[in-house]
Amino acid sequence: MAACALRRGLLSTVSKYNNKHTHRILSVVDSSVGFEVNRPRLQCRACGLPGAVQPRRFMSNRPEGKILETVGVFEAVKQHGKYETGQLFLHSVFGYRGIVLFPWHARLYDRDITPPMSDSKPEPPGAHGSKEVKGKTHTYYQVLIDTRDCPHISQRSQTEAVTFLANHDDSRALYAIPGLDYVSHEDILPYNSTEQAPIQHELFERFLTHNPAKSPPFTARDTLKAWQEKNHPWLELSDVHRETTENIRVTVIPFYMGMRWRYCIRLENMGNEVVQLRERHWRIFSLSGTLETVRGRGVVGREPVLSKEQPAFQYSSHVSLQAPSGHMWGTFRIERTDGTHFDVRIPPFSLESNKDDKAPPAGYTF
């Protein structure tokens, strides 16, 4: 049975991959128009975007005019260990083609798991709930996204989620690196290809070289190693926070950027009911003693629909504090198809300045 990778939204067939590694991967050739909603590039604090165009109620973005082409052959999913630099993969939720640059080892704080009393993450002041959460080591990967797929996943996942500050001392400008993402180990569906350049991205040939004697047949150039070392402070992934409310899972990954923090959020519908995100409610606590409340419609100018066919939405935003550290937590207001609502908890997470007294990130550098 062929596994179809539709480069326009979620791939339900890919998510049902059953670990057999003889299946061919098929991908869709672009042949239809784009989507209805324009996507802003960078957002204000706590994801507000006044005056943005709102999507229609429970709108559906389905691919049209699909043409399938062979991309490669699935490999066995790794239940243990990690994927190496140069591993080709399909994202099991968002369906894009990508390649692994290097791994990150994060501490995952999963509030859906009841931990013992020791080795737990304490609650920030005023956060909802009182249970402590034990951290567990989990592997994420820094990856490149194939630029051919970016236009067709943009309604489900931002493809410039990795941002950095300008090098100028007097500038607070933010810049983005298109097609750079963080992917959890369980979201990797590995495959191989006979192409020498199977991924289209401006950094592919700068970071990787084809070496047919190796497996996977792509190895890191010195440029990639130098880039990773130079930009490690603002790329580093350390803590991941996760919580599920009524089958809606929220995952948060915060990053310190020197003068502000970046946080990436993924919402995923683990059930069968179609729902839509309508509102956000943030509480932002600074160690300077201030507690700020932010409310608004949707996130990053959108009100995404989460369905069985397209269960996930991922975005990133930024926040500044008047102190070296603080905490954030909150809720998302979710609407069912019958018009009723419920609140989904956003797990509390820390906004910590650089640990180990490292110098603040200085911007994107080769």
Side-chain angles (χ1 to χ4, degrees):
M1 179 185 293
C4 297
L6 307 184
R7 290 208 311 263
R8 195 168 291 248
L10 174 74
L11 321 187
S12 58
T13 50
V14 169
S15 64
K16 296 175 183 176
Y17 175 58
N18 62 2
N19 296 338
K20 293 183 180 180
H21 57 279
T22 58
H23 297 169
R24 286 193 174 277
I25 304 168
L26 301 179
S27 185
V28 173
V29 178
D30 309 337
S31 60
S32 58
V33 297
F35 298 100
E36 298 179 26
V37 183
N38 293 325
R39 177 172 53 86
R41 293 182 61 82
L42 291 175
Q43 315 301 333
C44 62
R45 72 184 306 183
C47 322
L49 190 68
V53 177
Q54 299 293 337
R56 296 179 181 176
R57 179 182 178 89
F58 297 114
M59 63 184 291
S60 176
N61 298 321
R62 293 186 176 274
E64 297 178 358
K66 301 178 293 293
I67 302 174
L68 298 181
E69 63 180 7
T70 300
V71 171
V73 178
F74 275 132
E75 298 177 351
V77 170
K78 286 192 175 182
Q79 303 296 334
H80 305 285
K82 67 180 189 299
Y83 296 105
E84 302 297 328
T85 295
Q87 176 64 61
L88 296 168
F89 70 92
L90 291 182
H91 195 293
S92 66
V93 176
F94 297 113
Y96 63 71
R97 291 165 290 178
I99 191 165
V100 171
L101 296 180
F102 45 81
W104 294 110
H105 298 293
R107 295 292 291 175
L108 172 62
Y109 297 93
D110 193 340
R111 297 175 63 84
D112 300 331
I113 299 174
T114 303
M117 294 301 294
S118 60
D119 191 23
S120 299
K121 193 85 167 180
E123 289 283 297
H128 53 257
S130 59
K131 70 177 180 180
E132 295 183 344
V133 184
K134 182 178 180 180
K136 178 182 178 181
T137 301
H138 194 75
T139 302
Y140 275 73
Y141 299 94
Q142 197 86 65
V143 308
L144 291 180
I145 303 173
D146 194 309
T147 55
R148 293 169 293 183
D149 297 346
C150 288
H152 310 308
I153 62 171
S154 62
Q155 294 298 305
R156 293 284 124 190
S157 177
Q158 288 180 329
T159 56
E160 59 253 352
V162 179
T163 52
F164 60 96
L165 295 170
N167 275 312
H168 313 298
D169 293 337
D170 60 348
S171 174
R172 286 178 171 266
L174 281 170
Y175 293 87
I177 305 176
L180 192 64
D181 199 7
Y182 296 86
V183 179
S184 180
H185 182 86
E186 65 268 21
D187 288 337
I188 297 285
L189 295 180
Y191 74 93
N192 60 65
S193 172
T194 57
E195 297 182 52
Q196 293 190 15
I199 300 297
Q200 290 188 14
H201 192 286
E202 62 179 348
L203 297 178
F204 179 80
E205 292 185 351
R206 301 184 72 172
F207 283 170
L208 301 162
T209 182
H210 185 252
N211 187 346
K214 297 286 187 178
S215 180
F218 301 97
T219 56
R221 294 182 183 270
D222 291 340
T223 311
L224 174 59
K225 299 173 183 177
W227 180 82
Q228 179 185 4
E229 181 178 356
K230 181 71 174 179
N231 299 289
H232 183 276
W234 59 266
L235 284 173
E236 182 180 13
L237 184 157
S238 57
D239 291 347
V240 179
H241 304 265
R242 179 185 293 168
E243 184 169 3
T244 303
T245 307
E246 296 195 33
N247 289 324
I248 305 300
R249 176 189 288 171
V250 179
T251 303
V252 184
I253 308 176
F255 300 86
Y256 178 62
M257 299 174 61
M259 300 187 330
R260 68 182 74 182
W261 287 262
R262 177 177 80 248
Y263 56 93
C264 298
I265 292 186
R266 173 164 145 183
L267 296 98
E268 189 167 3
N269 187 349
M270 312 301 291
N272 296 322
E273 186 178 16
V274 178
V275 297
Q276 185 167 14
L277 189 155
R278 288 302 192 185
E279 300 175 9
R280 68 189 185 280
H281 176 202
W282 281 107
R283 303 278 278 175
I284 306 169
F285 175 76
S286 171
L287 289 186
S288 64
T290 61
L291 179 61
E292 183 179 358
T293 298
V294 178
R295 295 179 181 269
R297 295 284 296 182
V299 292
V300 293
R302 305 184 200 172
E303 297 178 18
V305 176
L306 305 177
S307 63
K308 188 174 182 180
E309 292 75 25
Q310 295 186 327
F313 179 80
Q314 181 173 290
Y315 73 96
S316 65
S317 192
H318 305 84
V319 64
S320 299
L321 300 179
Q322 297 179 356
S325 58
H327 302 278
M328 288 180 67
W329 66 95
T331 57
F332 292 122
R333 175 62 57 91
I334 304 296
E335 182 179 347
R336 301 183 180 93
T337 53
D338 62 4
T340 60
H341 298 83
F342 63 96
D343 288 335
V344 169
R345 292 184 294 274
I346 304 170
F349 57 96
S350 298
L351 300 171
E352 301 286 350
S353 57
N354 266 342
K355 304 176 180 67
D356 303 326
D357 296 322
K358 294 179 293 187
Y364 176 49
T365 310
F366 270 107

